[in-house]
Amino acid sequence: MESPQPFRHILVIEDRKARRIVALEQPTYSIGRESSSDLVIYDRVVSRHHATLLRIKKSPRHDSYFYRIIDGDLEGNKSTNGIIINGSRSESHNLKHGDVITLGNQAKLSYYILSNAINIALFNPLDPAKAEAFLPEATVSWTDNSKSTAIKSEKLEQLGQDDLMRLASFPELSPNPIIEIDYEGELTYLNPAASIKFGNIQQLKTSHPILIDLLSQAPNVEGNLLLREVKVGEAVYEQYVHYLSDNKLIRSYLFDITERKKAEETLQYQVLHDALTGLPNRVFF
């Protein structure tokens, strides 16, 4: 018997008919305009059998998995217009949190990974009565005027259209890491992006590069915003740190700027090279 998954895999489908959410649980999903498809896309430009989702285990010894999307069906028949992942055409792609898949002209699929343990009260996204719709088989803690209520979630389909619009800004769905600690240095919140990108942060806590020195800065920055660059391995992040003095919390929003930093270094190297070799400075567009 498989152990409970720490994450839920969610697909938000937007087409000509509606915007809807699907909790991915099956090993395979067919996607297309054909009514017999597991995930029917209501768009005439989409092929009858446009794409296929496959559940892939990360390793034979590990229960966790991800989904791979491939162009066409399992018999090798490709779609007419192909699939575009985050703006680039692809025949096969291992999906990551926040990926956007475009089919045809207007149909769009957004893939998210949600943690089963979620403290909704920190970000106040939804009415408590509807919070249960986010995570099937999860217990959600909601705090209202110091009263805590345990809600047993049941049906993802309970969300209405207004809730779906709010879901898009829900921190659990953000592809960018969000981390919160209290003034004692204890982790109080990690969104899935943070859990995935910084797998050892629970062990390292305030000695992790993302959290180091944040507590010592509190007396100087309290009530204001701290902006800094942090390097974690080969990746470089722009970190926006909010000191919430009333709640004794420190909340960080992180944005990966690795590619931008590489481009800046390349430009600086080229300008220096041209200056040293006596060549005129190049104009970059």
Side-chain angles (χ1 to χ4, degrees), residues 29-32 49-53 69-73 79 83 103:
Y29 290 89
S30 57
I31 304 172
H49 303 284
H50 201 106
T52 305
L53 280 178
I69 188 168
I70 62 172
D71 184 8
D73 59 27
S79 66
I83 57 175
L103 310 176

Side-chain angles (χ1 to χ4, degrees), residues 63-96:
D63 288 335
S64 62
Y65 56 83
F66 59 89
Y67 277 90
R68 176 182 299 158
I69 188 168
I70 62 172
D71 184 8
D73 59 27
L74 294 178
E75 281 68 49
N77 302 307
K78 302 295 184 183
S79 66
T80 303
N81 299 308
I83 57 175
I84 298 175
I85 312 291
N86 302 326
S88 300
R89 189 171 293 275
S90 178
E91 292 189 355
S92 177
H93 179 79
N94 294 337
L95 291 172
K96 300 182 295 298

Side-chain angles (χ1 to χ4, degrees), residues 18 23-24 30 45 76 79-80 93 120 128 138 177 183 186 188 198 200 208 214-215 218-219 222 256 266 271:
L24 300 176
S30 57
V45 181
S79 66
T80 303
H93 179 79
I120 293 180
Y183 275 29
E186 294 297 322
T188 56
F198 312 125
N200 61 347
H208 191 279
L214 290 188
L215 288 176
E222 196 165 316
D256 193 330
T266 300
V271 171

Side-chain angles (χ1 to χ4, degrees), residues 100-140:
V100 176
I101 307 129
T102 305
L103 310 176
N105 291 331
Q106 296 185 9
K108 184 176 74 173
L109 315 178
S110 301
Y111 176 80
Y112 301 108
I113 304 172
L114 303 184
S115 60
N116 272 349
I118 162 182
N119 191 340
I120 293 180
L122 289 176
F123 294 89
N124 194 28
L126 286 178
D127 178 79
K130 294 183 179 179
E132 63 185 50
F134 274 102
L135 297 173
E137 301 173 5
T139 299
V140 176

Side-chain angles (χ1 to χ4, degrees), residues 18 26 34-35 41 43 56 111 115 134 151 176 182 186 188 196 198 203 211 222 236 240 249 251 267 278:
Q26 301 303 317
E34 175 63 47
S35 60
I41 307 300
D43 191 321
I56 309 294
Y111 176 80
S115 60
F134 274 102
I151 304 172
N176 301 307
D182 60 23
E186 294 297 322
T188 56
I196 292 167
F198 312 125
Q203 290 74 37
L211 301 178
E222 196 165 316
V236 182
Y240 294 79
L249 295 172
R251 186 177 301 162
L267 178 58

Side-chain angles (χ1 to χ4, degrees), residues 30-278:
S30 57
I31 304 172
R33 182 164 45 88
E34 175 63 47
S35 60
S36 62
S37 298
D38 298 316
L39 303 176
V40 180
I41 307 300
Y42 298 95
D43 191 321
R44 286 174 292 180
V45 181
V46 171
S47 300
R48 297 171 68 86
H49 303 284
H50 201 106
T52 305
L53 280 178
L54 301 174
R55 188 171 68 189
I56 309 294
K57 293 189 71 171
K58 290 185 177 179
S59 70
R61 297 182 180 180
H62 207 284
D63 288 335
S64 62
Y65 56 83
F66 59 89
Y67 277 90
R68 176 182 299 158
I69 188 168
I70 62 172
D71 184 8
D73 59 27
L74 294 178
E75 281 68 49
N77 302 307
K78 302 295 184 183
S79 66
T80 303
N81 299 308
I83 57 175
I84 298 175
I85 312 291
N86 302 326
S88 300
R89 189 171 293 275
S90 178
E91 292 189 355
S92 177
H93 179 79
N94 294 337
L95 291 172
K96 300 182 295 298
H97 180 72
D99 279 349
V100 176
I101 307 129
T102 305
L103 310 176
N105 291 331
Q106 296 185 9
K108 184 176 74 173
L109 315 178
S110 301
Y111 176 80
Y112 301 108
I113 304 172
L114 303 184
S115 60
N116 272 349
I118 162 182
N119 191 340
I120 293 180
L122 289 176
F123 294 89
N124 194 28
L126 286 178
D127 178 79
K130 294 183 179 179
E132 63 185 50
F134 274 102
L135 297 173
E137 301 173 5
T139 299
V140 176
S141 177
W142 179 273
T143 303
D144 181 18
N145 296 328
S146 301
K147 295 180 180 180
S148 182
T149 306
I151 304 172
K152 181 66 177 180
S153 61
E154 295 176 353
K155 295 183 179 180
L156 200 63
E157 291 77 9
Q158 291 175 358
L159 287 176
Q161 288 303 307
D162 290 341
D163 298 325
L164 287 174
M165 296 301 293
R166 299 183 70 184
L167 180 63
S169 62
F170 189 51
E172 287 280 304
L173 302 187
S174 173
N176 301 307
I178 301 173
I179 302 170
E180 189 173 81
I181 62 173
D182 60 23
Y183 275 29
E184 301 299 322
E186 294 297 322
L187 283 162
T188 56
Y189 178 79
L190 290 173
N191 74 338
S195 298
I196 292 167
K197 289 180 181 293
F198 312 125
N200 61 347
I201 197 169
Q202 296 276 11
Q203 290 74 37
L204 295 179
K205 295 186 177 180
T206 53
S207 62
H208 191 279
I210 293 298
L211 301 178
I212 198 166
D213 293 334
L214 290 188
L215 288 176
S216 62
Q217 293 286 344
N220 303 321
V221 191
E222 196 165 316
N224 295 307
L225 173 69
L226 171 68
L227 173 61
R228 66 179 187 175
E229 284 186 10
V230 182
K231 189 170 184 179
V232 182
E234 297 300 316
V236 182
Y237 293 91
E238 201 167 60
Q239 183 177 11
Y240 294 79
V241 186
H242 295 264
Y243 286 84
L244 310 175
S245 55
D246 290 344
N247 299 318
K248 300 299 181 184
L249 295 172
I250 305 172
R251 186 177 301 162
S252 292
Y253 300 85
L254 295 115
F255 301 88
D256 193 330
I257 59 170
T258 307
E259 294 305 316
R260 190 183 83 191
K261 297 296 289 186
K262 288 180 180 178
E264 290 174 354
E265 290 172 2
T266 300
L267 178 58
Q268 291 171 359
Y269 172 81
Q270 191 61 63
V271 171
L272 179 61
H273 177 270
D274 289 350
L276 293 176
T277 56

